[in-house]
Amino acid sequence: MEGSEPGRGGMRRFTWEEIGQRNGRGPAPQERWLVIDRKVYDISHFCRRHPGGSRVISHYAGQDATDPFIAFHLDKALVKKYMNPLLIGELAPDQPSFEPSKNKKLVEDFRELRATVEKMGLLQPNHAFFILYLCHILVLDVAAWLVIWYFGASLVPFLCSAMLLGTVQAQAGWLQHDFGHLSVFSKSRWNHWVHKFVIGHLKGAPASWWNHLHFQHHAKPNCFRKDPDVNMHPLFFALGKTLSVELGVQKKKFMPYNHQHKYFFIIGPPALVPLYFQWYIFYFAVQRKQWVDLAWMLSFYIRFFLTYLPFLGVKGTLGLHLLVRFIESNWFVWITQMNHIPMHIDYDKNVDWFSTQLQATCNVHQSFFNDWFSGHLNFQIEHHLFPTMPRHNYWKVAPLVKSLCAKHGIEYQCKPLLTAFADIVNSLKSSGELWHDAYLHK
């Protein structure tokens, strides 16, 4: 801690230069510090015990983490009690409250917007909304079984049941997302309990796996080596203008990226869930000894096979399950990637929270169908800015976000659903061409 000076009460004072070096990669590779409300915390050892995972908190090492801290935690007073032993000092009086490179006015305006959102009660959930949402999923699940039970196991009832079950999986995916983000109950513990039931028993996946990946994505969206959702670069795809050109200049070619907009239709939407997620989640749960999650997952498979085995036999039940995963996979990939792949993808540049989220996300037009089909992820911008906000309130905060974007000259992208789908393919084609040109000529 060379260069720091003691302040009042023996509290050490630090500069942003000192803090920036404690990012886990600089001159002090074992040290990780971050700043919250001008207080400096040493998370070097705590990061491994962080309930949200070691990586998500480490992504802010050497940086101001005030806005993500506020965005992710419900009971901030309780969390700060656990943070007290990590406190090692504060910013020196002559230091700004966040890095000098960040837009001071934009940071202040967003924090004002956050205060307005809280005063308007937009972080308060409507429990009836989520109860009805769960009920509609359960009704579809029962309807899928009734189709087979009443009409038999011929082709048409089989396909109808698969479509209903695929819908159940997609919609349960959006619902578990709500609980995972602590958007339904005021107590984190309650959200975690129901989250395990929805993602485990209704979907057959581990909550711990989702938490590990998804919170990193929200902390640093579209930031290569920090957002797991862009880890498909460079092994399968060349993503983003900057990274694609860099890959080409380095003469790296793991795939024929100039054709990636074509093979995306083969290894993307149809394959992600049935050929990767479906098997990796078991490895994850066992390797990390997440036995409770594994028990919930097994309860899904036991229920599924006991339900359909008497009507379809072993081969028919396995075929139904794979077809359902195929339907779910297509639904999931198109919806989750339409908001991010066409947007800015690069290394972490440590810009302010508002800019970080806006440059990596876009919206899709609101309609009853779009809201339902995407689980309200057509409001991806609002969701990323306020990840604990109940989704039924996104439309209420959207005008305020648009106004702040207009004030600071930041583009607020919103497009039709089919255009958003097309933009995934177009962006892959564009980045593939950039890679190809750099690979051949630079």
Side-chain angles (χ1 to χ4, degrees):
M1 292 188 288
E2 184 181 351
S4 60
E5 297 179 357
R8 293 178 182 177
M11 183 80 74
R12 300 190 72 89
R13 293 175 172 176
F14 303 99
T15 64
W16 278 111
E17 182 179 1
E18 293 175 278
I19 294 162
Q21 292 173 353
R22 271 70 177 192
N23 59 11
R25 300 181 306 278
Q30 303 306 315
E31 290 188 282
R32 291 179 172 87
W33 299 355
L34 54 73
V35 177
I36 298 173
D37 289 328
R38 296 190 63 86
K39 304 295 184 183
V40 181
Y41 298 91
D42 185 346
I43 61 165
S44 305
H45 301 291
F46 170 77
C47 63
R48 290 189 288 272
R49 295 181 284 112
H50 180 235
S54 62
R55 292 186 184 179
V56 65
I57 191 171
S58 296
H59 290 338
Y60 274 90
Q63 302 178 12
D64 176 62
T66 303
D67 290 317
F69 172 80
I70 293 171
F72 289 136
H73 298 93
L74 290 184
D75 192 341
K76 298 167 187 61
L78 176 64
V79 175
K80 283 189 175 180
K81 287 182 180 179
Y82 290 98
M83 291 168 55
N84 285 336
L86 311 177
L87 181 64
I88 59 172
E90 62 185 4
L91 290 171
D94 64 336
Q95 296 292 299
S97 296
F98 36 83
E99 298 90 325
S101 59
K102 292 181 178 176
N103 185 329
K104 181 175 184 290
K105 183 60 178 170
L106 180 54
V107 172
E108 291 173 346
D109 284 350
F110 174 71
R111 291 179 180 176
E112 209 173 293
L113 172 59
R114 171 82 192 194
T116 301
V117 163
E118 292 177 359
K119 288 177 184 176
M120 292 174 65
L122 297 184
L123 299 178
Q124 302 304 313
N126 179 345
H127 292 128
F129 172 88
F130 293 104
I131 291 171
L132 290 173
Y133 205 91
L134 175 60
C135 287
H136 112 280
I137 291 171
L138 297 178
V139 167
L140 290 172
D141 207 4
V142 172
W145 178 83
L146 287 174
V147 167
I148 296 289
W149 173 77
Y150 186 80
F151 293 103
S154 58
L155 181 62
V156 173
F158 182 88
L159 294 177
C160 289
S161 182
M163 285 301 299
L164 288 168
L165 288 172
T167 303
V168 166
Q169 288 303 301
Q171 293 299 324
W174 309 145
L175 184 61
Q176 68 81 23
H177 181 262
D178 297 315
F179 289 103
H181 274 293
L182 316 178
S183 300
V184 183
F185 298 114
S186 58
K187 298 292 185 181
S188 297
R189 187 183 296 109
W190 299 351
N191 286 290
H192 292 316
W193 286 344
V194 183
H195 185 216
K196 286 183 181 295
F197 165 76
V198 176
I199 194 173
H201 185 67
L202 297 185
K203 287 190 60 61
S208 54
W209 164 76
W210 184 90
N211 291 335
H212 171 71
L213 294 177
H214 198 67
F215 290 140
Q216 291 185 72
H217 162 69
H218 270 268
K220 294 289 184 179
N222 280 11
C223 291
F224 182 50
R225 296 197 176 125
K226 290 192 174 184
D227 178 1
D229 285 10
V230 294
N231 279 353
M232 63 190 94
H233 173 98
L235 191 57
F236 295 110
F237 299 98
L239 300 178
K241 297 177 180 178
T242 304
L243 297 178
S244 298
V245 171
E246 176 187 73
L247 206 60
V249 170
Q250 294 171 348
K251 308 304 177 187
K252 291 184 178 180
K253 180 183 180 181
F254 298 99
M255 293 285 279
Y257 303 119
N258 49 314
H259 297 290
Q260 63 184 4
H261 59 292
K262 301 171 187 173
Y263 64 72
F264 170 75
F265 289 93
I266 301 172
I267 69 171
L272 183 65
V273 174
L275 297 185
Y276 178 57
F277 280 178
Q278 175 68 46
W279 313 109
Y280 177 75
I281 54 178
F282 280 97
Y283 167 79
F284 181 95
V286 172
Q287 193 260 339
R288 299 201 174 215
K289 299 179 180 179
Q290 297 291 335
W291 307 125
V292 173
D293 280 351
L294 186 61
W296 277 115
M297 292 165 63
L298 291 175
S299 75
F300 163 80
Y301 287 97
I302 291 169
R303 174 176 62 87
F304 186 88
F305 278 87
L306 287 178
T307 302
Y308 291 99
L309 203 60
F311 302 99
L312 302 176
V314 175
K315 290 183 180 179
T317 304
L318 287 172
L320 177 64
H321 180 257
L322 286 175
L323 181 55
V324 169
R325 291 304 189 203
F326 172 80
I327 295 167
E328 174 195 4
S329 188
N330 280 276
W331 196 327
F332 171 79
V333 172
W334 284 106
I335 290 298
T336 57
Q337 299 310 304
M338 69 181 183
N339 306 109
H340 295 299
I341 281 186
M343 303 304 290
H344 181 73
I345 302 174
D346 201 350
Y347 295 97
D348 178 23
K349 301 299 183 182
N350 189 22
V351 296
D352 61 90
W353 175 258
F354 190 83
S355 299
T356 295
Q357 306 304 329
L358 263 294
Q359 69 184 9
T361 56
C362 66
N363 280 6
V364 167
H365 292 165
Q366 182 187 21
S367 70
F368 178 82
F369 175 79
N370 286 355
D371 291 353
W372 175 82
F373 189 67
S374 69
H376 288 85
L377 293 182
N378 50 327
F379 286 96
Q380 192 74 220
I381 293 172
E382 289 71 26
H383 169 56
H384 266 255
L385 291 174
F386 309 101
T388 62
M389 179 181 287
R391 60 161 121 158
H392 51 73
N393 286 335
Y394 292 158
W395 68 275
K396 297 178 183 177
V397 74
L400 302 178
V401 175
K402 289 179 185 177
S403 178
L404 186 55
C405 286
K407 178 179 179 180
H408 289 274
I410 297 174
E411 185 179 11
Y412 181 100
Q413 285 196 36
C414 190
K415 59 187 77 168
L417 181 65
L418 294 181
T419 300
F421 289 164
D423 283 350
I424 298 175
V425 181
N426 292 334
S427 65
L428 288 173
K429 182 179 181 181
S430 176
S431 58
E433 289 172 348
L434 287 170
W435 166 82
H436 193 239
D437 180 67
Y439 187 80
L440 294 178
H441 305 301
K442 294 184 181 179

